[in-house]
Amino acid sequence: MSIVCVTGQMAAGKNYVSSLFEEQGFVSLDLDLVAHEAILLCTPEILAVFGDEAKKRGIVLLNADGTLNRRALGQIVFSDKNLLARQEAIVYPKIIELTEKFIGENSGKSIILNATVLYKTPELLKKCEKIYFVKANLLKRLVRAKKRDRMPARHILARFRNQKNLFDEYSLAAKEFNIPIEIIKN
């Protein structure tokens, strides 16, 4: 069994690279989807923490069906690093729990952790034998993100700005935990 991290900036091609590993017999966990589940499970706490900020900005955090509007939450948390850190403090413990459950359920298998910011959860990153950092140029990423997420370009670019030092963060973590890192250009 081995666990590897496939990472990179938004819309760099992490899912495509993960699918290539799956063709080789790996099982893959998309931590974006895990984060969505964690956010759903943490919705009451998120509403309590960010409700006033949303009102102040005229942002509605709940969809008509009562579920949390993740894009509306993203408008808040991706605009301020302190707000993002507050959201991460709520959601990351649940992400770690759900990921460790997946790893336990797939013991004996080779696993891909497909995650943009796995370095922020050292408990999980330390389990990885290798980091594959997927890179793509800015224009290609913008076109992919616009097509996939149907968000305004300014919101996508704000997320890109938040991830501008992502490779540096992974390089530091790789060095700290003695994990080899390889760049894959996509």
Side-chain angles (χ1 to χ4, degrees):
M1 176 183 101
S2 66
I3 300 174
V4 299
C5 171
V6 172
T7 191
Q9 295 167 315
M10 180 182 181
K14 295 178 295 296
N15 292 340
Y16 172 72
V17 170
S18 292
S19 73
L20 297 176
F21 277 99
E22 288 171 355
E23 289 174 7
Q24 302 300 316
F26 280 75
V27 293
S28 180
L29 181 63
D30 184 335
L31 271 80
D32 281 345
L33 299 178
V34 174
H36 296 172
E37 183 180 352
I39 288 169
L40 178 66
L41 295 169
C42 297
T43 294
E45 189 174 354
I46 290 169
L47 292 173
V49 170
F50 295 103
D52 289 341
E53 185 68 28
K55 279 183 189 174
K56 185 168 67 174
R57 296 182 187 202
I59 295 173
V60 178
L61 286 177
L62 290 178
N63 295 313
D65 65 359
T67 59
L68 185 70
N69 183 328
R70 292 190 329 269
R71 288 203 176 150
L73 178 64
Q75 288 177 13
I76 295 170
V77 302
F78 289 115
S79 68
D80 181 311
K81 288 184 180 188
N82 292 324
L83 295 175
L84 180 60
R86 287 175 67 193
Q87 186 243 2
E88 290 171 347
I90 296 167
V91 176
Y92 280 17
K94 185 58 71 176
I95 291 171
I96 292 167
E97 176 188 327
L98 294 169
T99 302
E100 287 179 342
K101 180 180 178 197
F102 177 86
I103 291 169
E105 291 170 348
N106 288 282
S107 65
K109 297 179 184 175
S110 293
I111 297 171
I112 303 161
L113 299 180
N114 174 347
T116 303
V117 291
L118 195 65
Y119 73 91
K120 290 187 175 186
T121 55
E123 307 89 334
L124 298 175
L125 187 60
K126 286 192 279 188
K127 296 177 184 286
C128 296
E129 294 176 15
K130 189 164 188 177
I131 299 167
Y132 293 95
F133 194 93
V134 183
K135 285 191 172 187
N137 73 49
L138 180 75
L139 183 58
K140 186 183 280 189
R141 292 175 40 234
L142 182 60
V143 169
R144 287 176 182 165
K146 187 86 172 121
K147 182 178 177 183
R148 179 189 71 195
D149 299 335
R150 298 188 177 129
M151 292 171 34
R154 65 180 159 65
H155 292 170
I156 294 168
L157 292 172
R159 291 186 183 190
F160 283 7
R161 278 190 297 280
N162 282 334
Q163 297 177 355
K164 69 181 176 183
N165 296 321
L166 193 62
F167 183 76
D168 295 338
E169 296 289 352
Y170 271 99
S171 294
L172 288 171
K175 186 176 181 179
E176 180 180 348
F177 302 128
N178 197 30
I179 304 169
I181 187 167
E182 180 179 323
I183 294 173
I184 298 175
K185 293 188 179 181
N186 186 24

